[in-house]
């Protein structure tokens, strides 16, 4: 399969998987978050209950109202009322006097008063005892009455203070109670979602609707489908025209004993174990709730512009619809997510590849980074939780901190409530948090699954490896490594200190002073150490420069000794060793030069020693040749002697020339000359020889001068040899081609001599090798050094010499750089 | 000039041959006696100096490497007293050796193994100049150009080698005239052709070379290793200006 397509397929299947998981998970979290707390997610029909009246909160609200109405009917105390707000939360409203806080001035005033009164009481007791001791009994008994009255007053006040301290409010008077009740009535009467009529002994006390009478008819006005009626004995509820069973088996049980799914018992009197007492026998209460509540408001033109009535039912209704919508959305996400997961099931294999790829990327990340990232993720999750649950979070932390009954505003906290708070916090956290958390954990699992030994790739490990000294055995290298390590460690400490100073800024003044002092000292030490190390490193750098200079000088053939003192430096050893190498090389080169010189000298001496006897031979052969009257065969011998002695002479001269040229001791007279003219002149010089031979020459030499730098005399020798070779070894009647051309880019002038050999070439023969001859058995006057001399001389002049054979064709090329005018 | 005539001419000229190799001395002796010279033989430098004291030697042929006193030292001792031609004969044929020998006062330097004919010709040339011509410089006039063994009289357009007139063809004379009037100057073949033949050159190299070769055969002692008319390879031809004019 095409790799590109495969990669694309892997990515797509992974994306489907990731989306599916995220949606299913997030949707589920959303459902859990938004579902009514007393409904399990399996209770699907209740989850999507459209009737807000089926919610337990409605029951609680109606019950709360009922109890308030009871209190109002009998003129009891009415302090707080639970309502239901726009955001779906309860709120508590106090309709009585301002509550007295725990430790405020008013409380202290009470306490002071109490203390004063107690002091007065004690003083009076003392006075009474004094009177008794003085014997003023009548006065004492009169005073005793006064004391008792004051004691009663004190005790009353003590109870009052106790109530204030314990419950935060004081017992209101009947008038105050009535005022509170009226206030409450004013507050809720505009909310026509809830109609009520409260009557006592046939007299209607409070009502917000003419349509609803407390007469026990059990018919709700139009638009109201819920009706509760209290007839002084029992509570009856009609919903949608159907009478509801309220009392069940007639016993009221607390919340904890309810079985799952069982709807809550109405907390109203009339149970066998919760009978109606005498005080409320004459009370009649009717309550009706709207089927589809609306928001009721009233203009308030002197202040905020409008007043919203209680509207609890409306908010309940509204929230119920909102929740329903939310739940529907969440359910859709879950279904979609599960569908995607099912689709992703089909591409499991390619998803595994993608997972492996992700793991490979993860494998490249330091473990420290991963830990920090995960901790950061957890912190972010906690932050989310906290920011969306401020109140609960506070309470939870209080519960954690004080594992005892802690009282404030009448609330009690304790560890026992932890599950409740935890659940609330989890419920209120945005569901995206859980998705993020899930993927964080998924990444960890993926990493652990694919990467064996995840801790291997760690910053600490890398640092250890970078600064590991174990593998170094050279003392200088170890020193260098130690130095680097200590620089790093010092830098780390310094950085930590600087960072500490920066982060502890909000410490006390003394802290700042100490830290600043420390920072100054650390900076000084750090700079000092940095200077020391820098100085040492600079010294080493200079030595390295010197060494590298030395090496390049030695490479260029300069073997003079080293200047400078390296004693005590890091690179002292290296310097000494380099000096040894230099010395060795100097010696070797000297030896080589000496041996080369000796070789040339040896050849010079040998050739000299050969020349002396050769002179005699040539001289006397000459005399023999001039001798008259010799018989023919003797003349033949003399001719052979003459030939051979001449050949020996040439050979000695050539050997000497080649050895000199090879050793580079040949004196050269380089000048600018015309390559073409050189060839023409050489050909002209050898004209007679060419004419007398069996071959003919064909030349292709340009008229324009082709200037080169060379030694003319040597180059004449080169071409003389080449032409001689061509004459000697060419097939009889064949042609020798001499050509001069510029090569491709016109930088080089190439002279070529081509001739057809009269015999077959031995392929492995190196013709320029000294003493190599085309024909071993041939006994002409050549020394066999012709090509060798040609090559040596050409190269000594700075040219290039090459030859090749192609079948019987022998081609020699001599090329020189063209000198541009 | 016949051989016999030459022998008679050379008769009585005393030549000293010095070499530690007796066979070479003998061979040179045979060679020069054949030319009609009186040959004295010495086998080391000291012996040669002794003989010079006693005999009226006109020319010395001396080897370089010899026992007792080497050739160059002997040469220096000879030069202290005498102005006779000295030809150094050595197995060392290097350019540097030649320069050394000539700078020590030698009149000529011949490398071993020598060519007998060339050696004889050189001996003859030096003796002629020494005995019959004397010091050329003193007699030179404006119309005469002297270069080594060569003397060119510009008015007559005649060239003398070792004091002897050399017969040249008209073209050859023109070439020699060009060279002698411009000693040491290098002429490309085209220029020579243009100035001598007085027409544009097309294939000049060979034509010029043929004439030069003929002139060499008439002027040079050894035409294969010319001393006067030289090829400057890759550039042209020239008449070498001889430093030594005696």
């Amino acid at each position: 399969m095409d790799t590109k397509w495969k990669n694309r397929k892997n990515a797509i299947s992974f994306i489907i998987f990731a989306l599916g998981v995220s949606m299913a998970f997030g949707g589920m979290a959303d459902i859990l978050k938004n579902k009514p707390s007393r409904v399990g997610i399996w209770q699907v029909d209740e989850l999507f209950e459209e009737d807000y009246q089926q919610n337990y909160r409605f029951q609680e609200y109606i019950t709360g109202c009922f109890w308030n109405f009871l209190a109002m009917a009998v003129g009891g105390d009415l302090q707080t009322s639970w309502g239901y707000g726009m955001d779906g939360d309860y709120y508590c409203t106090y309709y009585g006097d301002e509550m007295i806080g725990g430790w405020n001035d008013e409380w202290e005033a009470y306490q002071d008063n109490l203390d004063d009164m107690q002091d007065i009481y004690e003083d009076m007791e003392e006075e009474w005892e004094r009177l008794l001791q003085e014997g003023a009994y009548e006065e004492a008994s009169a005073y005793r009455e006064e004391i008792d009255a004051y004691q009663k007053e004190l005790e009353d006040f003590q109870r009052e203070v106790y109530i204030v301290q314990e419950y935060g409010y004081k017992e209101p008077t009947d008038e105050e109670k009535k005022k509170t009740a009226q206030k409450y009535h004013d507050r809720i009467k505009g909310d026509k979602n809830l109609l009520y009529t409260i009557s006592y002994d046939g007299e209607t006390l409070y009502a917000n609707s003419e349509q609803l009478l407390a007469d026990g008819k059990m018919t709700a006005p139009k638009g109201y489908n819920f009706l509760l009626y209290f007839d002084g004995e029992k509570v009856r509820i009609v919903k949608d025209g159907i009478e509801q069973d309220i009392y069940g088996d007639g016993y009221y049980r607390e919340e904890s004993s309810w079985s799952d799914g069982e709807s809550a018992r109405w907390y109203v009197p009339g149970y066998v174990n919760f009978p109606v007492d005498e005080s409320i026998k004459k009370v009649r209460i009717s309550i009706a709730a709207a089927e589809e509540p609306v928001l009721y408001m009233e203009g308030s033109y002197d202040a905020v512009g409008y007043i919203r009535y209680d509207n609890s039912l409306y908010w309940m209704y509204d929230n119920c619809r909102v929740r329903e919508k939310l739940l529907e959305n969440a359910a859709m996400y879950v279904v979609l997510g599960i569908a995607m997961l099912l689709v992703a099931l089909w591409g499991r294999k390619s998803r595994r590849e993608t997972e492996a790829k992700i793991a490979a990327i993860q494998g490249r990340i330091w473990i420290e980074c991963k830990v920090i990232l995960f901790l950061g993720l957890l912190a972010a999750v906690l932050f989310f939780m906290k920011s969306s649950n401020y109140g609960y979070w506070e309470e939870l932390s209080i519960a954690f901190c004080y594992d005892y009954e802690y009282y404030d505003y009448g609330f009690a906290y304790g560890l026992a409530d932890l599950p409740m708070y935890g659940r609330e916090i989890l419920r209120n956290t945005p569901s995206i948090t859980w998705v993020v958390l899930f993927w964080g954990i998924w990444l960890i699992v993926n990493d652990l699954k694919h990467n064996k030994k995840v801790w291997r790739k760690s910053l600490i490990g890398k640092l250890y490896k970078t600064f590991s000294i174990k593998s170094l055995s050279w003392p200088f290298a170890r020193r260098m490594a130690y130095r680097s390590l200590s620089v790093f460690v010092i830098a780390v400490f310094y950085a930590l200190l600087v960072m500490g100073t920066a982060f502890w800024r909000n410490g006390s003044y003394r802290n700042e002073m100490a830290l600043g002092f420390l920072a100054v000292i650390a900076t000084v030490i750090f700079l000092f150490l940095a200077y020391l190390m820098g100085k040492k490193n600079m010294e080493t750098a200079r030595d390295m420069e010197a060494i590298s200079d030395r090496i390049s000088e030695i490479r260029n053939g300069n073997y003079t000794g080293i200047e400078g003192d390296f004693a005590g430096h890091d690179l002292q050893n290296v310097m000494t060793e380099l000096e040894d190498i230099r010395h060795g090389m100097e010696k070797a080169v000297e030896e080589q030069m000496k041996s080369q010189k000796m070789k040339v000298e040896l050849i010079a001496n040998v050739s000299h020693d050969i020349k002396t006897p050769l002179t005699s031979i040539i001289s006397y052969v000459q005399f023999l040749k001039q001798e008259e009257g010799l018989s023919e065969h003797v003349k033949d011998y003399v001719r052979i002697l003459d030939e051979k002695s001449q050949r020996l002479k040439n050979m000695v001269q050539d050997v000497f020339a080649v050895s000199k040229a090879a050793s580079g001791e040949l004196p050269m007279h380089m000048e600018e000359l015309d390559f073409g003219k050189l060839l023409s002149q050489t050909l002209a010089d050898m004209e007679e020889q060419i004419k007398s031979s069996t071959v003919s020459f064909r030349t292709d030499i340009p008229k324009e001068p082709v200037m080169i730098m060379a030694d003319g005399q040597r180059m004449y020798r080169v071409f003389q040899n080449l032409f001689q070779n061509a004459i000697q070894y060419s097939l009889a009647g064949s042609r020798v081609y001499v050509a001069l051309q510029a090569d491709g880019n016109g930088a080089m002038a190439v002279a070529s001599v081509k001739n057809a050999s009269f015999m077959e070439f031995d392929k492995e023969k190196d013709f320029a090798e000294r003493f190599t001859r085309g024909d071993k058995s041939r006994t002409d006057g050549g020394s066999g050094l012709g090509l060798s001399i040609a090559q040596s001389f050409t190269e000594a002049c700075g040219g290039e010499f090459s030859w090749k054979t192609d079948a019987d064709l022998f081609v020699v090329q001599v090329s020189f750089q063209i000198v541009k005018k | 000039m016949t051989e016999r005539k030459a022998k008679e001419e050379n008769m009585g000229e005393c030549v000293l041959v010095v070499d530690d190799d007796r066979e070479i001395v003998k061979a040179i002796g045979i060679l020069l006696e054949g030319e009609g010279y009186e040959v004295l033989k010495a086998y080391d430098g000291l012996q040669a100096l002794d003989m010079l004291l006693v005999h009226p030697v006109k020319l010395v042929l001396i080897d370089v490497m010899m026992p007792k006193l080497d050739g160059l030292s002997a040469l220096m001792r000879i030069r202290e007293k005498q102005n006779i031609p000295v030809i150094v004969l050595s197995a060392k044929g290097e350019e540097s050796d030649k320069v050394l020998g000539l700078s020590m006062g030698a009149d000529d330097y011949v490398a071993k193994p020598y060519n007998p004919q060339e050696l004889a010709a050189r001996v003859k040339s030096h003796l002629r100049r020494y005995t019959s011509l004397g010091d050329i410089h003193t007699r030179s006039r404006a119309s005469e150009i002297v270069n080594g063994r060569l003397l060119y009289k510009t008015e007559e357009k005649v060239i003398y080698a070792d004091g002897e007139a050399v017969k040249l063809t008209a073209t050859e004379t023109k070439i020699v005239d060009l060279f002698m009037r411009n000693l040491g100057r290098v002429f490309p073949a085209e220029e020579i052709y243009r100035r001598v033949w007085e027409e544009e050159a097309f294939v000049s190299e060979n034509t010029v070379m043929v004439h030069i070769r003929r002139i060499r055969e008439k002027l040079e002692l050894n035409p294969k290793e010319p001393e006067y008319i030289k090829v400057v390879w890759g550039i042209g031809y020239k008449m070498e200006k001889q430093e030594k004019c005696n």
Side-chain angles (χ1 to χ4, degrees), chain A residues 357-647:
Chain A
K357 257 182 214 165
I358 292 171
I361 294 168
Q362 285 179 298
R364 270 181 250 142
I365 302 170
W366 292 328
I367 183 97
E368 287 90 345
C369 284
K370 286 183 205 160
V371 168
I372 287 170
L373 277 175
F374 187 67
L375 290 178
L377 180 72
L378 284 183
V381 166
L382 287 178
F383 176 75
F384 264 129
M385 284 183 179
K386 201 183 161 193
S387 60
S388 56
N389 287 285
Y390 187 75
Y392 283 114
W393 193 263
E394 287 272 275
E395 286 163 20
L396 185 68
S397 53
I398 290 168
F400 257 115
C401 294
Y402 313 97
D403 184 19
Y404 57 85
E405 297 288 299
Y406 174 85
Y407 296 98
D408 188 19
Y409 294 89
F411 288 100
Y413 308 101
L415 274 185
D417 295 324
L418 266 184
M420 192 270 278
Y421 290 130
R423 204 173 63 217
E424 283 304 314
I425 285 170
L426 294 186
R427 274 169 57 89
N428 285 348
T429 307
S431 46
I432 185 76
T433 315
W434 305 119
V435 176
V436 168
L437 190 64
F438 170 83
W439 284 111
I441 292 167
W442 182 88
L443 281 174
I444 291 174
V445 171
N446 189 46
D447 194 15
L448 288 174
K449 200 166 83 186
H450 287 90
N451 295 326
K452 302 259 146 53
K453 299 178 179 169
V454 281
W455 56 86
R456 275 278 176 81
K457 178 86 185 171
S458 70
L459 178 63
I460 291 168
K462 178 145 177 84
L463 286 176
Y464 177 76
K465 226 165 150 187
T466 307
F467 292 106
S468 174
I469 292 155
K470 260 192 260 167
S471 61
L472 302 172
S473 61
W474 187 27
F476 165 59
R478 288 185 78 93
R479 267 210 302 284
M480 202 81 166
Y482 274 126
R483 210 176 290 160
S484 305
L485 177 62
S486 41
V487 165
F488 182 74
V489 168
I490 289 166
V492 164
F493 275 118
Y494 184 65
L496 286 177
L497 197 85
V498 168
M499 265 161 43
T501 332
F503 284 124
W504 286 340
R505 280 281 292 281
N506 40 10
S508 73
Y509 175 67
R510 189 179 299 175
N511 262 356
E512 250 176 58
M513 278 282 283
L515 274 173
F517 185 63
L518 254 178
V520 167
I521 287 184
T523 307
V524 167
I525 292 175
F526 180 72
L527 286 179
F528 181 66
L529 285 172
Y531 169 74
L532 280 186
M533 280 167 190
K535 200 178 142 195
K536 197 76 188 154
N537 281 347
M538 278 312 291
E539 181 192 279
T540 307
R542 284 197 197 97
D543 288 1
M544 277 174 159
E545 168 88 15
I547 287 173
S548 109
D549 282 355
R550 283 302 305 145
I551 290 171
S552 58
E553 263 183 39
I554 288 172
R555 197 192 76 98
N556 292 337
N558 179 9
Y559 299 112
T560 47
I562 281 177
E563 295 136 31
D565 181 23
F566 294 98
H569 286 202
D570 282 334
L571 293 172
Q572 190 187 357
N573 283 356
V574 184
M575 229 37 181
T576 321
E577 280 156 20
L578 184 64
E579 187 66 6
D580 288 349
I581 290 172
R582 179 198 66 78
H583 193 69
M585 275 184 71
E586 188 182 18
K587 237 171 148 179
V589 169
E590 241 170 47
E591 292 278 314
Q592 204 197 344
M593 297 276 277
K594 225 160 110 188
S595 94
Q596 191 73 36
K597 222 170 177 174
M598 268 176 68
K599 210 160 80 185
V600 176
E601 258 169 34
L602 183 73
I603 290 170
N605 287 341
V606 167
S607 63
H608 175 255
D609 287 350
I610 293 170
K611 273 179 195 167
T612 308
L614 191 59
T615 310
S616 297
I617 294 169
I618 289 171
S619 296
Y620 288 100
V621 167
Q622 205 67 31
F623 295 145
L624 268 180
K625 266 168 81 181
Q626 287 166 359
E627 203 67 35
E628 281 161 23
L630 290 177
S631 55
E632 273 311 301
H633 67 279
V634 175
K635 273 188 179 168
D636 199 36
Y637 300 160
V638 172
R639 188 184 54 78
I640 292 167
L641 275 177
D642 188 30
E643 263 175 28
K644 296 300 165 192
S645 58
Q646 286 302 328
R647 191 179 153 197

Side-chain angles (χ1 to χ4, degrees), chain B residues 144-187:
Chain B
E144 288 176 359
I145 299 166
V146 179
N147 186 30
R149 330 180 359 253
L150 303 180
L151 170 75
Y152 182 64
K153 296 190 173 172
T154 52
E155 283 164 16
E156 294 96 331
K157 289 195 196 281
V158 178
I159 189 157
Y160 297 84
D162 297 324
E164 213 169 289
V166 180
K167 281 183 186 168
L168 295 173
T169 64
T171 314
E172 286 165 6
T173 308
K174 273 185 180 174
I175 295 171
V176 166
D177 184 71
L178 184 66
F179 278 147
M180 286 307 279
R181 284 171 189 274
N182 299 285
L183 288 179
R185 204 193 121 179
V186 182
F187 292 94

Side-chain angles (χ1 to χ4, degrees), chain A residues 607-609 611-616 618-620 622-623 626 649 653 656 660 667 669 671-675 677-678 680-688 691 703 707 712-714 716, chain B residues 19-28 30-31 65 90-95 112-117 188-190 202-203 205-206 209-210 213 216-217 231-237:
Chain A
S607 63
H608 175 255
D609 287 350
K611 273 179 195 167
T612 308
L614 191 59
T615 310
S616 297
I618 289 171
S619 296
Y620 288 100
Q622 205 67 31
F623 295 145
Q626 287 166 359
K649 178 185 159 189
Q653 277 166 352
F656 191 57
K660 277 209 110 171
H669 306 287
E671 58 190 335
E672 216 170 271
L673 51 89
D674 181 355
F675 205 176
K677 194 163 269 178
L678 174 79
S680 311
Q681 283 177 323
T682 312
L683 283 169
D685 187 59
M686 296 175 72
E687 202 192 357
E688 280 179 21
K691 268 183 185 159
K703 278 250 179 266
M707 304 308 287
Q713 194 64 41
R714 305 288 179 206
Y716 160 65
Chain B
D19 199 323
D20 57 334
D21 190 318
R22 283 166 186 268
E23 279 67 42
I24 291 177
V25 175
K26 190 177 165 190
I28 295 171
I30 295 166
L31 180 74
M65 286 193 285
S90 173
K92 286 185 175 175
E94 292 293 292
E95 196 87 0
K112 287 182 193 171
Y114 54 82
N115 182 339
Q117 278 84 41
E190 295 83 9
F202 289 105
V203 189
E205 208 76 60
N206 278 5
M209 187 59 110
V210 167
R213 202 176 294 129
R216 273 178 184 167
E217 273 161 16
V231 183
V232 182
W233 299 101
I235 301 172
Y237 305 88

